[in-house]
Amino acid sequence: MKLQRGVFLVVFCLLFCCAFSQKKKVAVVTFYANKMVGIEELGIGSEELLKNVLDLRNNPNFNLAPILEQYHSKFFNEYAKSFPFDLLPESAVVDSEKYQKFEARFEKNKYDANNYLNYGKYRNIYEGFLGKTNEEGMAKLFANEADGVLFVSIDFGFEKGFGIGKTMSIKMRAFTRIVLYNKKGEKVWAINESERSKKTGVMVGGIPVINPEKILPMCESSLTELMGDLQKRIDKIVSKSNAKL
């Protein structure tokens, strides 16, 4: 009886260790915010509006770093706990020479270099854009350390609110895209979620009032709303991970 019990315990321990050791690992390879606030939803294509958005992007007071920090903290400290895989330590990714020297296709060029705010040492490596060169390249780059790679980004865009004619309120919508690829560079799943801000701005004469003091609180409000709902979406979709990793 004691022998049987001992054998059972040994088998149980082996199975437990085996299951634990088989937990997949994933490398987060992008984490950034887009500083170019989208204007598509306003249905306006004036040169003045585009100039105002570019001026906002280049204004040092339009500092999205604290907002990006909030999202990064939420992602790694809370959302990551729902994943059925472990994330590689960030330093193992961003501090590696191979990552920093990777020749990414369509990486930010001189024209749009100011559009993106990367978190820490992350690079802005395009995903889901004209082929899978970057996705397959990143997956191959970390094939020895990880079973997949994760791309994370956030964007912001204006939305019309209420009003008459060319005078109305506007809101901000925050978008996030979280995409997992396996070792072959095949998409496992993608999370595309957005939420609008509770804070509002104003559009006068058909042109939004765009300055950091008005826009930053709207961006933060929209991201706060998004982060509040994102956990539910993550819980629903991550169950597909292990089957394709």
Side-chain angles (χ1 to χ4, degrees), residues 227-244:
M227 290 192 297
D229 292 337
L230 191 54
Q231 185 69 62
K232 298 175 185 176
R233 175 63 173 160
I234 290 175
D235 290 341
K236 286 182 180 179
I237 202 166
V238 295
S239 59
K240 303 176 183 179
S241 300
N242 281 346
K244 293 185 179 180

Side-chain angles (χ1 to χ4, degrees), residues 168-185:
M168 64 177 60
S169 65
I170 56 171
K171 286 183 176 285
M172 186 67 68
R173 183 169 286 275
F175 305 83
T176 189
R177 180 169 170 81
I178 307 169
V179 193
L180 175 66
Y181 289 86
N182 64 18
K183 278 188 174 184
K184 297 179 181 179

Side-chain angles (χ1 to χ4, degrees), residues 47-176:
E47 291 184 6
E48 181 182 357
L49 178 56
L50 180 58
K51 178 183 180 301
N52 291 347
V53 170
L54 287 168
D55 288 344
L56 178 71
R57 177 198 70 178
N58 297 329
N59 192 322
N61 292 324
F62 184 57
N63 182 16
L64 290 175
I67 297 176
L68 185 60
E69 176 67 47
Q70 289 178 33
Y71 187 50
H72 177 271
S73 177
K74 192 89 168 177
F75 187 90
F76 280 89
N77 295 331
E78 296 186 29
Y79 302 150
K81 294 178 181 178
S82 297
F83 297 146
F85 49 76
D86 290 329
L87 297 180
L88 287 182
E90 289 183 281
S91 59
V93 178
V94 300
D95 288 336
S96 65
E97 184 177 1
K98 62 182 180 181
Y99 174 76
Q100 293 299 336
K101 287 188 174 182
F102 177 75
E103 294 184 9
R105 189 181 183 194
F106 305 118
E107 189 167 13
K108 58 187 183 182
N109 54 37
K110 292 181 180 179
Y111 176 77
D112 64 1
N114 291 330
N115 287 6
Y116 305 102
L117 174 66
N118 294 320
Y119 185 88
K121 295 181 182 179
Y122 281 106
R123 294 171 56 189
N124 173 252
I125 300 174
Y126 282 114
E127 172 272 329
F129 182 70
L130 297 180
K132 296 197 299 180
T133 302
N134 290 339
E135 296 87 330
E136 292 174 349
M138 281 284 103
K140 183 177 180 180
L141 196 69
F142 290 100
N144 291 332
E145 300 99 331
D147 301 283
V149 291
L150 201 63
F151 295 77
V152 185
S153 62
I154 54 174
D155 296 79
F156 298 95
F158 289 114
E159 282 191 355
K160 288 183 179 180
F162 300 98
I164 300 175
K166 294 184 178 182
T167 301
M168 64 177 60
S169 65
I170 56 171
K171 286 183 176 285
M172 186 67 68
R173 183 169 286 275
F175 305 83
T176 189

